[in-house]
């Protein structure tokens, strides 16, 4: 499995209801479990490569604003949600986190004061492997290589947040 095939799997799992992240993960897990063991292992590495790619301070700031705070685990779960939004949304958000303000799901979450996170994404390949083989995936079959992170600003500094994330700040402002 390569990166494009991983994204194709996510896109297929987004049908018929792309806004229910947990359901997307369930469908993606079933689709992945139908593949060869080596593809499942490759998907695990690809997932964690995407988690590393999205390990950015400005994106953490967006998650902090959207979810009303964001711990280390919370940032993982937010990025899990982001991955199941599909490649286009993921890549736009990594390049410019304020682009998230364009998404109807983000606008709806802002109006309803709901968090955007999906912890189950992190276990997608793990669960697929268990379903396909009946065995736990070995922890040494993938690596996680997070880059150094530069936060850039104090996320509680409202003026700086408005400057850096103007559209999101307008959605989530008091």
């Amino acid at each position: 499995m390569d990166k494009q095939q991983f994204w194709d799997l996510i896109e297929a799992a987004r049908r018929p209801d792309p806004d229910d992240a947990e359901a997307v993960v369930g469908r993606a897990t079933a689709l992945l479990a139908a593949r060869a063991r080596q593809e499942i292992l490759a998907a695990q590495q690809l997932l964690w490569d995407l988690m590393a790619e999205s390990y950015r301070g400005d994106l953490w700031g967006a998650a902090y604003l959207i979810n009303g705070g964001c711990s280390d685990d919370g940032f993982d779960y937010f990025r899990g949600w982001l991955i199941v939004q599909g490649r286009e949304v993921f890549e736009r958000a990594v390049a410019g986190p304020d682009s998230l303000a364009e998404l109807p799901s983000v606008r709806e979450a802002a109006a309803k004061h709901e968090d955007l996170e999906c912890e189950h994404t992190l276990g997608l390949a793990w669960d697929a492997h268990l379903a396909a083989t009946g065995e736990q995936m070995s922890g040494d079959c993938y690596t996680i290589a997070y880059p150094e992170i530069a936060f850039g600003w104090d996320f509680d500094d409202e003026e700086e947040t408005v400057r850096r994330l103007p559209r999101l700040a307008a959605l989530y402002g008091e």
Side-chain angles (χ1 to χ4, degrees), residues 26-120:
R27 290 188 294 273
T29 300
L31 290 169
L32 186 57
R35 295 185 176 226
R37 181 178 180 275
Q38 285 308 111
E39 288 186 74
I40 298 170
L41 297 176
Q44 175 73 345
Q45 185 60 59
L46 288 162
L47 173 68
W48 287 100
D49 290 347
L50 293 172
M51 291 293 287
E53 182 181 334
S54 60
Y55 191 70
R56 301 173 43 93
D58 54 354
L59 190 59
W60 200 323
Y64 189 93
L65 180 60
I66 289 168
N67 289 341
C70 192
S71 66
D72 292 353
D73 287 346
F75 188 45
D76 284 346
Y77 306 156
F78 174 81
R79 289 177 295 139
W81 170 85
L82 184 59
I83 288 168
V84 298
Q85 301 313 297
R87 185 177 200 160
E88 182 181 332
V89 169
F90 177 86
E91 289 177 351
R92 277 195 356 246
V94 170
D98 204 37
S99 68
L100 290 167
E102 301 165 8
L103 297 178
S105 57
V106 173
R107 292 177 172 281
E108 183 178 328
K112 294 181 176 180
H113 305 286
E114 295 176 344
D115 289 348
L116 295 175
E117 56 187 29
C118 187
E119 178 181 0
H120 289 108

Side-chain angles (χ1 to χ4, degrees), residues 152-164:
W153 84 96
D154 175 354
F155 301 148
D156 288 322
D157 181 338
E158 290 180 34
E159 286 182 23
E160 190 63 16
T161 298
V162 167
R163 188 180 77 71
R164 291 176 183 257

